[in-house]
Amino acid sequence: MNSPAPEDTVHPIPPRTLTVTYTGGEKRRGPITMGQANMIRCILRDDPTHINIHDVWPVPGGVTVEAVLDALRALAVRHEGLRTTFPHPPGTAPVDQIVAAEGTFTVTVLDHTELPGDPAEYAESVARAARAGRFALGREFPMRITLLTVAGQPAYVALAFSHAVADGSAMAILREEFTELLAGKELPDLASLPPVDLAAVEASPAGLRKSEASLRYWERIIRTGPQEMFAEPRGRRPGTDKEARQLTLRSRRGGRALAGAARRTGHPEATVLMAAWCALVAHRAGQDSCVTAVPSANRFHARVARSVTTTSQDALLHLDVRVETFDALVARTWGAVLNAYRHSQFDSVRLWEMIGRVTAERGSHFGRDVVFNDVSALPAPLLGTEAEERDGAEQELTWGPPQALPTRLLAFTYRTAPQLHISLWAAPSLFTPEEAEGFLSGLVLLLEAAASGDVPMEALAGVTGVRPAERGPDWLRLDGCWVSPDAVRETLGRAVGGLPVHVTGEPGPDGTGDGTYGTGATGDTDGTTGAAVDAEPHLTAYIARGETPLTPEEAHRALIALIPAAGSGVLAPRRYVLVTDPPADPDRSDAWRRLKTIDEGTGRGRQV
């Protein structure tokens, strides 16, 4: 299905639909790849406007409609992923992919006497509108194509893609090849694997061992890392901010500073930029570590570097920022990033089963709060529709259109030279427009300081102007997470149907009773054995159940069901203590402790 332009745009010339026939490919069938399985899971579940992706390809002057159609046809024949469908019975998820040898696709032509408004922004709006509507995985061509013309002359191709066959890197590759085809250039032979062959590699013994290692790596982070990067009073759960506006930084200052910091530290620019990103995110969030997803990281191997398919499986970076200086953090980042990259291929179904199991045991909800996607090293990086020649700005910040934001902080790095070009989407509940601008400006300031000399990590606020999150004295650091006992009490009260609930912090052996609980490190990092319940600072929940038949296990399950949509700072108590009636003074923890216990326990199937 092709989508016309947005409804509020008036077209003086009615649209027409062209059918393009392609032939010359090879018919194939095989299992789906791990990346395809990951995206198909999202396609079947999520809002199409969140999961479908789009791009706009400018068409050089003098190119005919026929030449555009020929180039699109050539791409379909060249790349098996574009000829792929995923048949499956209703109510099931696909397990196989079928590559067609021949077929057709349609192109909607919107002709204009002139393009309205800013032509690039208009083309972007057409492509974005085509994301609406779920792709029919079993039968639909995976590209929705609209050709924008002026008096019959092509100007832009606006496209929406099924995320089951393409990701941002694939779109960048296709855009580059489209441009070369229009210029009459001959494309080189394909060097990366098509999806069917990639699936075979993943299913090999070596591929399965790699997947198992990745799952173990992820489990260590899910068990021990912060469950929310932005756990603070004004925070919301990921996805509850419906939209966030795009904020774009273009900065020659940033490009010079990044290059200078890389020269001074002796590390690649990508490593320095990642270290600066993590340092500033952790500083803003008030965390000892930064957990960030790195979606493009799994294209570092030649067999997938230029494969037109989706490799959308996160590398998950967990970077401890507790070092004295920025140089020390850069050195630590290099190894941490490589480790994350090595563990970015996995069975996504098993991954999410593991996350569900581990977070239920830990009493948490893991949030994909932060995403950092550096596509600056890709060929023909995905720069949207804005002119790529805007390299003259010493530094500028511009606001773009809103976009659905299923995370809390999303950044795309498009270029690092001659200017630093980053787009940021920040959850409005956490970042005012001024704070979002200050964050990107602060990133440049940190790079400039790092280019001149080593920067003490304790000086980040002064260097960048970015202030850490503010939390009241009632917030505690427990099990590596910032927790609000009040938020836990309110959520648990709703979970148990309004029964009286009291939640209190309990110190570990070296803690005090005044809320000074240290970092809450778990000690057991591989998740194979559980720490003793009272070995660390933790929360205890007292529930006056009256005559209600309630067990610790039932209370825990009910709370876990509410945590994903609950406010920020909710972590399940380590112990549930059930009593009959609340004390006369229900705000005093010692009054609850003196009551006769009916039942108590962790509520979990295992100790954590």
Side-chain angles (χ1 to χ4, degrees), residues 223-288:
R223 283 195 181 277
T224 63
Q227 296 294 280
E228 292 180 89
M229 279 306 298
F230 298 104
E232 55 187 88
R234 61 175 173 168
R236 298 179 186 170
R237 289 289 174 177
T240 56
D241 288 286
K242 297 298 183 183
E243 291 184 326
R245 290 182 65 195
Q246 178 180 356
L247 175 62
T248 298
L249 167 77
R250 289 182 178 82
S251 174
R252 279 187 169 270
R253 285 173 47 193
R256 290 194 301 269
L258 178 57
R263 285 193 301 269
R264 191 187 65 76
T265 62
H267 285 275
E269 289 186 4
T271 303
V272 174
L273 183 59
M274 181 67 76
W277 168 263
C278 288
L280 202 57
V281 168
H283 168 71
R284 163 62 181 80
Q287 299 279 12
D288 290 335

Side-chain angles (χ1 to χ4, degrees), residues 256-410:
R256 290 194 301 269
L258 178 57
R263 285 193 301 269
R264 191 187 65 76
T265 62
H267 285 275
E269 289 186 4
T271 303
V272 174
L273 183 59
M274 181 67 76
W277 168 263
C278 288
L280 202 57
V281 168
H283 168 71
R284 163 62 181 80
Q287 299 279 12
D288 290 335
S289 63
C290 176
V291 177
T292 184
V294 190
S296 62
N298 45 11
R299 281 188 177 265
F300 68 97
H301 198 285
R303 67 173 174 242
V304 292
R306 291 187 61 87
S307 182
V308 173
T309 185
T310 184
T311 62
S312 291
Q313 294 187 276
D314 289 341
L316 189 65
L317 175 64
H318 184 203
L319 183 63
D320 190 334
V321 300
R322 290 175 294 183
V323 292
E324 291 187 0
T325 68
F326 182 71
D327 283 9
L329 183 65
V330 173
R332 176 176 288 184
T333 302
W334 171 253
V337 167
L338 288 181
N339 202 24
Y341 285 9
R342 286 173 44 233
H343 296 101
S344 60
Q345 176 187 310
F346 44 79
D347 182 327
S348 60
V349 174
R350 291 187 58 201
L351 175 77
W352 285 104
E353 289 174 347
M354 178 273 290
I355 291 175
R357 182 184 71 254
V358 171
T359 53
E361 292 168 357
R362 193 177 181 186
S364 60
H365 174 74
F366 175 71
R368 189 176 179 265
D369 284 359
V370 183
V371 180
F372 185 79
N373 207 355
D374 186 349
V375 297
S376 62
L378 295 175
L382 198 64
L383 295 177
T385 59
E386 299 186 46
E388 299 175 21
E389 293 77 21
R390 294 176 59 181
D391 292 337
E394 190 66 9
Q395 181 153 311
E396 68 175 14
L397 288 164
T398 56
W399 286 96
Q403 181 173 319
L405 187 69
T407 183
R408 285 167 151 178
L409 194 66
L410 167 65

